[in-house]
Amino acid sequence: MAKCVIFCAGGFDGLVAPLAQDDYIIAADGGVAHTSALGLTPHVILGDFDSLGYTPEGANVFPMEKDDTDAMLAIRQGLKLGYTEFYLYGCLDGPRLDHTIANFQSLQYLADYGARGYLIGKDYIVTLIQEETVVFPAGFEGVVSLFCLGKDATGITLKGLKYPLENGSLTSHFPLGVSNHFTGKDASVTVKCGSVTAMYDRKNGLPIRK
């Protein structure tokens, strides 16, 4: 499946998965520095370019005073073109904590539009699990933390992790899901109602979606 790959202005430490020929590449503001370093020509360059400090040739320029972040502009563009799989690089390790939180919110925005996304940072991968089962294959190591950032998430079942759970709940006011651990075996997270944000070590790669 072709995916929309968005490069944002935050820290970047290489690709977590190879790009396919039919992937759609967007450079959002300072993300153009990452595509240049990779020798990639984005299909579109967009943003207000406050992070980059200059306007690249052929860029789609937006005003600084706008409702969307540059990452959200890119997400909207990908959704408009019909993409349902989104990889966002340079979106976790920037100097602006507020933009990092905005990127977390963008995962819920994607899910609400029938898509799924991954925030891929230098050390972590973050994804949203909403009314589905996500499998983490055997060999995954380290910590995995699960957060409910909206209304209560229910019907949560955790298998193959150090701290299992059967048909439990997570709420937005208590971090019960923080600091679980992979065990080296196949693990899975099922959410029947609501959504849960999962964060784990980037070195493990991407999970399997059912």
Side-chain angles (χ1 to χ4, degrees):
M1 179 186 298
K3 55 188 178 291
C4 181
V5 183
I6 300 169
F7 292 88
C8 302
F12 174 69
D13 195 24
L15 300 173
V16 75
L19 296 174
Q21 186 173 2
D22 53 354
D23 287 345
Y24 188 75
I25 300 171
I26 302 177
D29 200 298
V32 73
H34 303 320
T35 56
S36 296
L38 292 170
L40 299 173
T41 300
H43 292 88
V44 64
I45 302 171
L46 53 74
D48 55 30
F49 301 102
D50 60 341
S51 299
L52 191 61
Y54 68 92
T55 302
E57 183 178 353
N60 295 331
V61 182
F62 293 80
M64 291 183 63
E65 295 182 354
K66 59 186 186 305
D67 292 334
D68 292 322
T69 63
D70 293 329
M72 184 57 75
L73 289 173
I75 286 170
R76 288 184 187 271
Q77 173 73 6
L79 288 172
K80 181 179 178 181
L81 295 174
Y83 289 90
T84 58
E85 184 103 350
F86 287 74
Y87 290 10
L88 285 86
Y89 291 95
C91 54
L92 291 179
D93 303 288
R96 295 278 303 271
L97 179 60
D98 54 346
H99 278 258
T100 302
I101 295 172
N103 292 333
F104 273 65
Q105 286 187 310
S106 74
L107 294 176
Q108 184 65 64
Y109 184 88
L110 284 167
D112 290 345
Y113 280 85
R116 59 194 181 197
Y118 300 92
L119 308 180
I120 303 167
K122 297 168 69 175
D123 299 306
Y124 293 98
I125 293 175
V126 182
T127 192
L128 190 85
I129 303 172
Q130 178 170 283
E131 298 175 5
E132 60 179 325
T133 295
V134 173
V135 174
F136 300 92
F140 272 43
E141 298 177 333
V143 172
V144 55
S145 291
L146 305 169
F147 300 99
C148 175
L149 301 180
K151 66 180 181 179
D152 293 358
T154 59
I156 298 173
T157 298
L158 311 180
K159 296 181 178 179
L161 297 176
K162 181 177 181 179
Y163 305 111
L165 184 65
E166 184 69 33
N167 198 31
S169 300
L170 289 177
T171 69
S172 61
H173 62 266
F174 187 77
L176 180 64
V178 72
S179 296
N180 210 325
H181 295 263
F182 294 114
T183 62
K185 302 177 181 179
D186 282 341
S188 65
V189 177
T190 298
V191 180
K192 289 186 178 180
C193 184
S195 59
V196 168
T197 301
M199 174 188 294
Y200 63 93
D201 293 340
R202 172 198 161 112
K203 65 182 180 181
N204 290 302
L206 299 172
I208 299 170
R209 316 293 289 238
K210 289 189 174 182

